[in-house]
Amino acid sequence: MRGVQQKRVALVTAGLAGWLVLTAAGQLPDHRFDALLQRGRWRIPVPNWRFFGPNPGVTNTHLLYRDFCANRPSIWRDLEVGEDRPWYGLVWNPRNRAPKSIFDASQRTIVAISSHDTGQRVTDTSDYIFLSRYVQRHAPHEPGASETQFLLVESKALDTSNEQITPAFASERLPLPEFSER
């Protein structure tokens, strides 16, 4: 009886080890083993957890804003949304929700601009409204500013000394709540 149980444990261990090896092979960036794993009657259910997904991010998105005082624009300023992470942030970081939601809204706004089949204007999307309200209410505005505007910019590092910066979207002028309530 003990020999049968040892054989079962060895069989299960070998099966799980084999599945682990196949899963690792399926995560390789060059997709070499994908066709082999997905073909035939005995298709092996291997999860696809490629690091950064099938299309890794190669650009950084920045949220810039400027204020208008007496109808004159100020300079564009980068709106810092994230804080430095504490040492335990890898395991527990509840303050990451706001920066993550701003990042996601920025990404979806850029995607909405590039896709013309949305059927609605970008300014009518919930992501645009979210970004507008965030800039209106949480950015440090200049005294006497009556309006603000935000700009989504994508940057791509070409090498260590060169960076390509591309404007992706500029919002309409947005009234500042403090000014409109006066």
Side-chain angles (χ1 to χ4, degrees), residues 57-127:
V58 294
T59 60
N60 292 322
T61 304
H62 300 273
L63 178 60
L64 305 171
Y65 76 101
R66 66 180 177 181
D67 293 332
F68 289 87
C69 295
N71 215 20
R72 295 180 59 159
S74 65
I75 61 169
W76 289 104
R77 291 175 283 183
D78 198 355
L79 184 56
E80 295 290 331
V81 290
E83 300 173 6
D84 288 336
R85 290 184 177 186
W87 64 269
Y88 53 84
L90 182 62
V91 178
W92 175 254
N93 193 7
R95 291 177 291 191
N96 193 36
R97 292 183 186 267
K100 174 73 170 122
S101 57
I102 293 167
F103 173 79
D104 289 346
S106 299
Q107 294 300 311
R108 287 190 300 263
T109 300
I110 291 171
V111 168
I113 295 162
S114 62
S115 67
H116 300 290
D117 60 339
T118 58
Q120 73 180 131
R121 295 177 352 148
V122 173
T123 57
D124 295 335
T125 63
S126 60
D127 295 313

Side-chain angles (χ1 to χ4, degrees), residues 123-142:
T123 57
D124 295 335
T125 63
S126 60
D127 295 313
Y128 175 85
I129 294 168
F130 172 74
L131 290 171
S132 303
R133 290 186 179 156
Y134 183 80
V135 170
Q136 286 172 312
R137 295 182 179 144
H138 297 287
H141 297 289
E142 293 186 15

